[in-house]
Amino acid sequence: MAERIPEEKINEIRQSVDIVDLIGDYVNLTKQGRNYFGLCPFHGENTPSFSVSPDKQIYHCFGCHAGGNSFSFLMDLEGYSFQEAALKLAEKGNVKLEIDSSQLATSIAVSPELQQMHEAHNLLRKFYHHLLVNTKDGQQALEYLLNRGFTMESIEKFQIGYSLNSWDFVCKFLQKRKFPLEIMERAGLVIRREKDNSFFDRFRNRIMFPIFDRKGNPIAFSGRALGDDDPKYLNSPETAIFNKSKILYNFQMARPHIKKLQKAVLFEGFADVISADRAGVENGLATMGTSLTEEHVALIRKNTDSVTVCYDSDQAGIEAANRALEMLTQAGCQVRVAWMPDNLDPDDYIKQYSEEKFRNEVIESSLTYMGFKMRYLRRGKRLNDEGDRLLYIEEVLKEISNLSKAVERDHYLRQLAAEFSLSLEALKQQQKQVYFSKEKQKPMNQGNGRAQAMIMVKPSTELKPAFHNAERRLIAHMLTSSDTTFKVKDLLQGNTFNIDEHQAIFTYLLAYYDSGHSPDSSNFMFFLGDDQLRKVVAHIEMMPVNEEITEKELSDYIKQVLNHQKMIKIKEKIQDEKEAERQKDYAKAALIAMEIIQLRKSLK
């Protein structure tokens, strides 16, 4: 049974953590007026529809309708139980909470098998690291790393380790600690022999680089061969806890630096990330032996909209960089390219030229996307040949036509004109022809994706019935005043709201204020017993309403609520009247007609 947290301690935790700071650790937020906006972490999107209110300490997404307070944010996003969320928030707010985390009940049960996979990876991460830095067995691997320019600080920071040159040491090591080898096989740590169903170690005599999930838990490994073993790098297979299309290497350590600098640097591999980190580039990320995916882009986009791509400058690296840039640009990111000369990768460049030059002359002197495109389009062309030159100019003009800013278009047109001694006016005219030709081919409803990505999503303007809006506005005012709440109760005279969710919230509000609570949206969400109602409250709280409600305004809203119920009764009476006439009971029909007249009079 999970230990119950006293209400006063919950309030202390809630008041100690600013919801903007909390959500800012997960979402790149931008202030717009009194609220903050960003990309919703609960559903995929390219336009910021997620709003956070520092005044009310709540959040709401106008796209998927997620909403709540700091506690519900962690519970919904991380799958925490209430107690786990409280523990996390207490830690963030420096509130002393005397609860044993091992006794916490989880709202989402983790299967014993997944738990064992996580525990085994964490155990081996520590063991491999110990072998590398503290034993004679790891001496050769440690010397190899140090000779390659790795520092002890990097080895500690990235928890680099070494796997023994043994076929079954890890099998015995895990088995001795009660880890079933069948589960360890599914975790990717051991391999089953077909001939006798026995097991052997997946990683042998390799430098081990642990791979962590977003929470910082080890979930896989990449092993670098010390000798001539093939392959040079051996990665864990995909498992129930490791999906390489969703994992970005170093994300858990880079995220604070990405938030601080408002920029991420995307590398081709984890070795580049570690080399760049030694050079002071701590906001580096890398894919895990796969091309950039939509999931990777969504994860980056939720944390920053500025990305520098730093891939190898060989043919394969340039092609991969071009694909990554197109995906990032389409998602609304502002992209640049760190171009390295002479087919070098980051590690080679740093060794040859220095860490300082890598920071200043590669990362900080990165090219714009258009600057990269112009270099990219030059590949394989002999620009002293008339045909290649004209083809190159045509391809560049197509790219310039994609630019949304007139200043940028003018800049690159002038650059093109100067390089090939061309008429600027002629280039402008041809660029416009290219642009309009492309526009004609677009569907009528298709616009500029990058421009659309920067448009803030406003609350839905879908027209609702008058009674629906009236009920929501009444709730909005009741959330700020207990007096208004009890006044509404009196004015309704025993009638209810027309929308069941609104009536439920109203009932909860009466009980909330009866219990002696003060108006507080974030606190009221604790009081609600239903997630769906919390979302409705969050949406209502984001509605723009006057701070004070006048008597006339209050009376008009109540009238709209009651009139809808009368309209329903009128429709029912009309059907009754028709039925009485069909039965030739004209006396009854006349009485019903009088009732209808009285009901219609009461609507005025």
Side-chain angles (χ1 to χ4, degrees):
M1 186 79 179
E3 191 173 340
R4 187 177 180 277
I5 305 170
E7 186 175 340
E8 58 270 17
K9 186 61 73 172
I10 291 171
N11 287 332
E12 184 183 353
I13 294 168
R14 185 171 54 83
Q15 292 166 11
S16 70
V17 177
D18 183 356
I19 195 168
V20 175
D21 290 339
L22 172 69
I23 295 178
D25 288 340
Y26 298 85
V27 179
N28 185 31
L29 296 173
T30 303
K31 191 170 186 184
Q32 291 245 329
R34 297 177 70 172
N35 294 342
Y36 290 78
F37 284 84
L39 293 172
C40 180
F42 298 106
H43 80 288
E45 63 175 7
N46 292 332
T47 54
S49 62
F50 184 78
S51 177
V52 183
S53 169
D55 297 337
K56 297 170 181 175
Q57 289 294 295
I58 62 171
Y59 65 90
H60 176 71
C61 175
F62 296 106
C64 70
H65 307 298
N69 56 19
S70 298
F71 285 78
S72 60
F73 180 81
L74 288 179
M75 291 165 71
D76 291 343
L77 191 66
E78 300 283 15
Y80 290 162
S81 67
F82 179 80
Q83 286 86 358
E84 287 174 319
L87 194 68
K88 184 78 173 177
L89 290 169
E91 181 183 345
K92 186 173 180 66
N94 294 316
V95 175
K96 191 173 182 183
L97 190 61
E98 295 177 353
I99 289 182
D100 182 2
S101 60
S102 66
Q103 299 299 315
L104 294 178
T106 56
S107 58
I108 298 177
V110 176
S111 72
E113 180 169 321
L114 292 182
Q115 190 173 344
Q116 286 183 321
M117 287 183 179
H118 280 292
E119 289 174 357
H121 275 89
N122 198 37
L123 181 64
L124 284 180
R125 186 263 306 169
K126 294 176 183 176
F127 177 64
Y128 288 146
H129 183 65
H130 169 75
L131 285 175
L132 177 70
V133 299
N134 295 319
T135 70
K136 289 183 179 179
D137 292 309
Q139 186 85 28
Q140 181 189 355
L142 182 61
E143 288 176 0
Y144 171 84
L145 287 170
L146 295 175
N147 289 335
R148 285 291 306 268
F150 282 75
T151 64
M152 288 306 297
E153 183 182 0
S154 287
I155 291 168
E156 287 292 336
K157 181 174 182 177
F158 291 92
Q159 286 291 286
I160 301 169
Y162 169 70
S163 57
L164 291 170
N165 190 13
S166 165
W167 283 95
D168 60 359
F169 187 90
V170 166
C171 287
K172 292 175 181 176
F173 179 78
L174 293 171
Q175 207 167 21
K176 187 177 179 181
R177 285 156 180 79
K178 310 299 182 187
F179 288 99
L181 292 185
E182 292 80 6
I183 294 177
M184 296 301 97
E185 180 193 13
R186 291 194 287 275
L189 297 172
V190 302
I191 300 173
R192 187 193 296 266
R193 290 186 179 91
E194 289 186 10
K195 61 179 180 181
D196 59 3
N197 281 331
S198 62
F199 296 91
F200 62 93
D201 300 353
R202 177 176 294 276
F203 300 102
R204 302 179 303 279
N205 193 32
R206 289 178 178 269
I207 295 169
M208 301 298 290
F209 298 88
I211 301 161
F212 299 87
D213 64 16
R214 300 179 198 179
K215 298 179 186 178
N217 302 311
I219 54 172
F221 291 97
S222 182
R224 204 267 188 211
L226 266 180
D228 297 326
D229 291 350
D230 192 42
K232 182 179 177 182
Y233 283 99
L234 177 65
N235 296 328
S236 293
E238 293 210 342
T239 66
I241 62 173
F242 174 51
N243 184 336
K244 61 187 178 183
S245 68
K246 296 180 180 179
I247 293 295
L248 285 169
Y249 182 76
N250 194 44
F251 179 80
Q252 83 287 357
M253 288 196 289
R255 184 163 62 179
H257 302 287
I258 291 170
K259 290 290 183 184
K260 181 180 178 182
L261 300 170
Q262 281 300 292
K263 177 170 46 176
V265 181
L266 182 64
F267 293 97
E268 214 169 344
F270 65 84
D272 297 334
V273 170
I274 297 172
S275 298
D277 184 84
R278 294 202 309 271
V281 181
E282 297 180 280
N283 54 336
L285 305 168
T287 53
M288 289 306 310
T290 182
S291 298
L292 194 69
T293 66
E294 290 184 3
E295 289 94 339
H296 292 144
V297 172
L299 182 58
I300 293 170
R301 185 72 176 85
K302 286 172 184 174
N303 290 273
T304 182
D305 57 9
S306 179
V307 185
T308 299
V309 176
C310 184
Y311 282 11
D312 294 354
S313 55
D314 58 12
Q315 184 69 18
I318 292 170
E319 291 291 349
N322 186 53
R323 289 193 299 271
L325 288 162
E326 287 179 353
M327 290 180 70
L328 290 162
T329 304
Q330 194 172 12
C333 290
Q334 302 297 313
V335 295
R336 296 184 71 88
V337 184
W339 187 286
M340 289 178 297
D342 308 322
N343 290 332
L344 297 177
D345 61 24
D347 187 46
D348 292 332
Y349 184 95
I350 290 167
K351 285 176 186 170
Q352 190 166 328
Y353 294 105
S354 81
E355 295 175 353
E356 185 179 0
K357 278 201 169 187
F358 178 74
R359 286 195 309 272
N360 297 332
E361 297 183 15
V362 176
I363 301 299
E364 296 303 326
S365 301
S366 54
L367 300 171
T368 63
Y369 181 38
M370 190 63 212
F372 166 79
K373 270 290 186 182
M374 291 175 79
R375 285 201 189 185
Y376 175 77
L377 294 170
R378 284 176 180 268
R379 296 168 313 109
K381 292 186 178 69
R382 293 175 296 118
L383 295 183
N384 57 345
D385 176 82
E386 184 179 356
D388 278 8
R389 186 165 62 251
L390 289 173
L391 177 61
Y392 171 72
I393 292 168
E394 185 180 345
E395 289 176 341
V396 171
L397 287 174
K398 286 179 182 178
E399 292 298 331
I400 291 174
S401 296
N402 291 329
L403 298 174
S404 58
K405 295 179 181 176
V407 172
E408 283 187 283
R409 292 196 298 271
D410 185 74
H411 172 77
Y412 291 111
L413 286 170
R414 288 178 185 277
Q415 189 172 313
L416 203 60
E419 182 177 2
F420 296 105
S421 301
L422 297 170
S423 161
L424 179 60
E425 289 307 313
L427 283 176
K428 284 184 176 180
Q429 186 176 352
Q430 188 169 340
Q431 183 266 315
K432 285 179 182 177
Q433 289 175 356
V434 171
Y435 174 79
F436 287 118
S437 175
K438 285 178 64 178
E439 286 299 302
K440 284 180 183 178
Q441 296 172 15
K442 286 183 180 180
M444 289 299 291
N445 62 344
Q446 183 179 336
N448 186 307
R450 274 173 291 172
Q452 286 180 341
M454 302 310 294
I455 298 171
M456 284 293 180
V457 173
K458 298 297 181 186
S460 172
T461 55
E462 179 188 351
L463 290 176
K464 299 286 187 184
F467 74 88
H468 184 282
N469 292 329
E471 289 180 1
R472 292 216 161 191
R473 290 188 175 278
L474 283 172
I475 291 172
H477 286 290
M478 288 190 287
L479 285 165
T480 66
S481 168
S482 58
D483 289 342
T484 300
T485 304
F486 291 112
K487 193 178 289 185
V488 168
K489 179 188 176 186
D490 294 338
L491 290 170
L492 284 173
Q493 297 179 337
N495 291 290
T496 62
F497 284 134
N498 299 286
I499 307 295
D500 290 342
E501 289 174 336
H502 297 169
Q503 180 59 32
I505 292 167
F506 178 46
T507 304
Y508 272 112
L509 269 171
L510 290 169
Y512 177 76
Y513 290 131
D514 267 337
S515 301
H517 294 288
S518 300
D520 186 322
S521 303
S522 180
N523 194 34
F524 176 59
M525 286 184 181
F526 287 121
F527 200 80
L528 287 171
D530 183 84
D531 286 338
Q532 182 58 34
L533 294 183
R534 291 190 186 102
K535 292 178 182 179
V536 174
V537 169
H539 184 269
I540 290 171
E541 276 289 57
M542 293 298 179
M543 289 169 50
V545 294
N546 298 328
E547 289 188 14
E548 299 289 337
I549 185 169
T550 64
E551 290 295 329
K552 184 180 185 311
E553 190 180 1
L554 184 60
S555 175
D556 287 344
Y557 291 151
I558 294 293
K559 190 173 183 179
Q560 291 288 354
V561 174
L562 298 178
N563 277 357
H564 180 68
Q565 297 174 9
K566 291 174 184 176
M567 286 297 297
I568 293 173
K569 285 184 181 179
I570 288 171
K571 288 178 182 178
E572 291 172 353
K573 292 291 181 183
I574 289 171
Q575 292 302 315
D576 291 343
E577 182 185 12
K578 287 180 179 178
E579 179 62 24
E581 288 174 348
R582 194 177 67 81
Q583 299 287 341
K584 300 188 185 305
D585 189 347
Y586 298 112
K588 182 179 181 182
L591 286 172
I592 294 173
M594 290 302 296
E595 290 177 17
I596 292 172
I597 291 169
Q598 293 302 316
L599 281 169
R600 281 178 172 157
K601 281 182 180 179
S602 69
L603 290 175
K604 297 176 183 178

